[in-house]
């Protein structure tokens, strides 16, 4: 599907459908296209909103989890979206969703986390991006998925272009380090809303043990594993991901903490 990207002030975003709002947040090397199958499945029944996070061009001093949470707050204020919504986050996007929920409990009705950072992640496989090394980037992108074929040439080229820029690399490293420092284990018990954890059983970046730990620490969480699936279930197993998400949305009541 071709995404219709809208622009308002400095924000670029997708806003499709109408009804109850699903706010989708992508990860560190992510893009709006990561959520294509979710948009296709849910926009006929929900309003699906996805901001493009300014990971590669935000001011370096703000390049971290708190800066990205502020960006989401400013984006929602700009488009006038103040009602409680269901927030979905993949990888770093899950981390942002959690901090946003902690800071804005009345604005979050439900949470969906998939491969979320916030407790532990090994996003760079213990190292940071090597500039100008295509083979390294190819290997890292493939490491995200159970099936390396999902790491298409187009996807690898996209990430390679990013890591080839020193300015973008500095921001990625700053954000990745911020995510590693910003551990939420002490705070998760405050998040009372219904929470769905959808995890790839073969996730090597945030392994299944991380999902179990999230389930233990979040008071109202349910965990679903998808087999033959890595760090981005909505891309690698979209039909299964959408099925589990649909069940969760229909079986839970959206109820933010007042």
């Amino acid at each position: 599907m071709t995404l219709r990207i809208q622009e308002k002030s400095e924000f670029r975003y997708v806003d499709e459908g109408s009804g109850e709002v699903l706010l989708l947040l992508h990860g560190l090397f992510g893009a709006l296209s990561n959520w294509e199958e979710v948009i296709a499945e849910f926009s006929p029944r929900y309003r699906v909103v996805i901001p493009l996070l300014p990971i590669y061009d935000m001011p370096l001093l703000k390049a971290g989890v708190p800066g990205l949470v502020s960006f989401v707050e400013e984006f929602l204020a700009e488009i006038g979206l103040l009602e409680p919504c269901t927030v979905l986050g993949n990888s770093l996007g899950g981390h942002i969703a959690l901090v946003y929920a902690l800071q804005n409990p009345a604005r979050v009705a439900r949470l969906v986390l998939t491969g979320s950072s916030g407790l532990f992640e090994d996003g760079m496989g213990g190292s940071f991006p090597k500039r100008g090394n295509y083979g390294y980037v190819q290997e890292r992108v493939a490491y995200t998925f159970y099936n390396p074929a999902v790491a298409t040439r187009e996807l690898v080229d996209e990430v390679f272009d990013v890591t080839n820029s020193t300015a973008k690399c500095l921001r990625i490293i700053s954000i990745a380090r911020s995510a590693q420092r910003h551990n939420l284990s002490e705070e998760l018990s405050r998040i009372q809303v219904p929470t769905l954890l959808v995890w790839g059983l073969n996730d090597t970046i945030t392994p299944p043990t991380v999902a179990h730990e999230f389930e233990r620490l979040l008071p109202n969480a349910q965990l679903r594993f998808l087999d033959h699936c890595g760090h981005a279930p909505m891309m690698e197993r979209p039909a299964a991901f959408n099925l589990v998400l649909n069940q969760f949305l229909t079986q839970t009541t959206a109820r933010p903490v007042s």
Side-chain angles (χ1 to χ4, degrees), residues 189 199 211:
S189 62
W199 236 259

Side-chain angles (χ1 to χ4, degrees), residues 46-114:
Y46 293 85
R47 180 181 174 191
V48 181
V49 177
I50 321 172
L52 182 62
L53 300 174
I55 284 165
Y56 309 127
D57 47 21
M58 66 194 300
L60 194 52
L61 289 173
K62 290 185 178 175
V65 173
L68 287 163
V69 173
S70 298
F71 174 87
V72 171
E73 291 169 345
E74 288 159 18
F75 163 69
L76 294 173
E78 179 65 38
I79 66 166
L81 181 50
L82 304 176
E83 70 208 65
C85 50
T86 297
V87 187
L88 293 82
N90 172 238
S91 195
L92 174 71
H95 202 152
I96 296 164
L98 286 163
V99 178
Y100 177 77
L102 286 162
Q103 292 180 7
N104 304 274
R107 296 244 178 108
V108 176
R110 280 180 291 227
L111 273 175
V112 180
L113 306 174
T114 178

Side-chain angles (χ1 to χ4, degrees), residues 120-139:
F120 167 86
E121 56 88 36
D122 182 23
M124 304 293 177
S127 64
F128 288 112
K130 290 180 170 62
R131 187 160 170 257
N133 184 332
Y134 191 86
Y136 172 83
V137 170
Q138 199 165 21
E139 184 190 302

Side-chain angles (χ1 to χ4, degrees), residues 4-237:
R4 293 188 309 155
I5 297 172
Q6 303 189 35
E7 296 191 23
K8 192 171 187 189
S9 300
E10 77 270 34
F11 302 105
R12 301 184 74 220
Y13 60 100
V14 167
D15 190 345
E16 294 284 350
S18 61
E20 192 188 325
V21 179
L22 305 181
L23 173 66
L24 278 44
L25 303 173
H26 64 74
L28 188 59
F29 289 102
L32 300 174
S33 61
N34 294 174
W35 298 104
E36 274 181 359
E37 302 282 351
V38 175
I39 302 167
E41 174 67 29
F42 290 93
S43 59
R45 310 188 297 288
Y46 293 85
R47 180 181 174 191
V48 181
V49 177
I50 321 172
L52 182 62
L53 300 174
I55 284 165
Y56 309 127
D57 47 21
M58 66 194 300
L60 194 52
L61 289 173
K62 290 185 178 175
V65 173
L68 287 163
V69 173
S70 298
F71 174 87
V72 171
E73 291 169 345
E74 288 159 18
F75 163 69
L76 294 173
E78 179 65 38
I79 66 166
L81 181 50
L82 304 176
E83 70 208 65
C85 50
T86 297
V87 187
L88 293 82
N90 172 238
S91 195
L92 174 71
H95 202 152
I96 296 164
L98 286 163
V99 178
Y100 177 77
L102 286 162
Q103 292 180 7
N104 304 274
R107 296 244 178 108
V108 176
R110 280 180 291 227
L111 273 175
V112 180
L113 306 174
T114 178
S116 178
S117 59
L119 291 178
F120 167 86
E121 56 88 36
D122 182 23
M124 304 293 177
S127 64
F128 288 112
K130 290 180 170 62
R131 187 160 170 257
N133 184 332
Y134 191 86
Y136 172 83
V137 170
Q138 199 165 21
E139 184 190 302
R140 289 293 98 199
V141 175
Y143 182 73
T144 305
F145 304 104
Y146 170 76
N147 176 5
V150 181
T152 59
R153 180 70 192 251
E154 189 184 12
L155 199 57
V156 175
D157 287 351
E158 213 174 281
V159 175
F160 180 71
D161 287 346
V162 169
T163 59
N164 228 2
S165 152
T166 303
K168 289 177 180 178
C169 257
L170 284 173
R171 283 159 180 79
I172 290 163
I173 291 167
S174 174
I175 292 166
R177 287 189 172 145
S178 164
Q180 285 167 350
R181 281 195 309 270
H182 205 110
N183 188 290
L184 298 173
S185 54
E186 303 289 308
E187 300 170 74
L188 293 181
S189 62
R190 289 169 32 214
I191 297 176
Q192 299 289 329
V193 294
T195 303
L196 172 66
L197 305 166
V198 188
W199 236 259
L201 207 47
N202 314 95
D203 186 341
T204 49
I205 295 171
T206 47
T209 50
V210 179
H212 284 298
E213 188 67 357
F214 270 118
E215 184 186 29
R216 187 178 73 79
L217 293 169
L218 286 159
N220 200 359
Q222 51 179 282
L223 172 59
R224 297 285 178 273
F225 281 113
L226 301 182
D227 201 0
H228 300 119
C229 183
H231 188 57
M234 72 288 180
M235 294 172 72
E236 190 161 19
R237 298 282 314 278

